[in-house]
Amino acid sequence: MYSYFRISTIFLFFCNYLFSQKITSEIPYYKIDLTTSFLATLNLEKNEDIESVELDSIRYISDGLSIKGYVLKPKKIFSKLPIIIFNRGGNGNFGNLTPKLMLSRLSSIASKGYVIFGSTYRGNSDSEGFDEFAGEDVNDI
């Protein structure tokens, strides 16, 4: 129980830092342009949910390694929003977090007023390090 509480507290501090502070060059990010042609490369079609969200790719440091992640959020934000930490299943390329997965599975939730953060974990999708399947890669979330 204590371990769960400690991890939850770390999530809250990270989320507070990430979303209450102005994003600077310390957290490199870029907006992914959700054009029709980009969605076609993912075999996705524009729909009401996808049109109402933004997808950003970010990089952050975990145990000295550069880790890639994604932030999916509503386009129109009028107040503080709750955040969901999406922890993908699988390891390696199986279940890997991609823009397609974020948009196809999570845009309907984000469009309802949630910010969703997902990590690719170390050793996957341009993240440094090695995937350990529930080893030190747990620190990445």
Side-chain angles (χ1 to χ4, degrees), residues 4-29:
Y4 176 76
F5 175 76
R6 190 171 70 186
I7 290 173
S8 298
T9 303
I10 291 169
F11 285 157
L12 292 175
F13 282 121
F14 173 74
C15 296
N16 184 46
Y17 170 76
L18 185 61
F19 295 107
S20 69
Q21 303 295 319
K22 183 176 181 181
I23 294 180
T24 66
S25 60
E26 294 175 26
I27 302 176
Y29 77 100

Side-chain angles (χ1 to χ4, degrees), residues 113-133:
Y114 292 88
V115 175
I116 303 172
F117 169 77
S119 173
T120 62
Y121 308 143
R122 63 186 66 190
N124 295 287
S125 296
D126 301 326
S127 291
E128 295 177 341
F130 299 98
D131 187 345
E132 298 178 6
F133 197 53

Side-chain angles (χ1 to χ4, degrees), residues 47 49-50 53 72 102-114 116:
N47 61 37
D49 293 331
I50 289 175
V53 298
L72 187 65
M102 291 291 287
L103 291 168
S104 64
R105 294 189 183 173
L106 303 171
S107 63
S108 62
I109 298 169
S111 70
K112 307 269 187 300
Y114 292 88
I116 303 172

Side-chain angles (χ1 to χ4, degrees), residues 57-77:
S57 175
I58 68 168
R59 287 209 168 269
Y60 62 97
I61 302 299
S62 174
D63 295 337
L65 300 170
S66 175
I67 307 298
K68 183 177 182 179
Y70 294 101
V71 177
L72 187 65
K73 61 189 178 210
K75 282 184 181 176
K76 297 177 183 176
I77 299 176

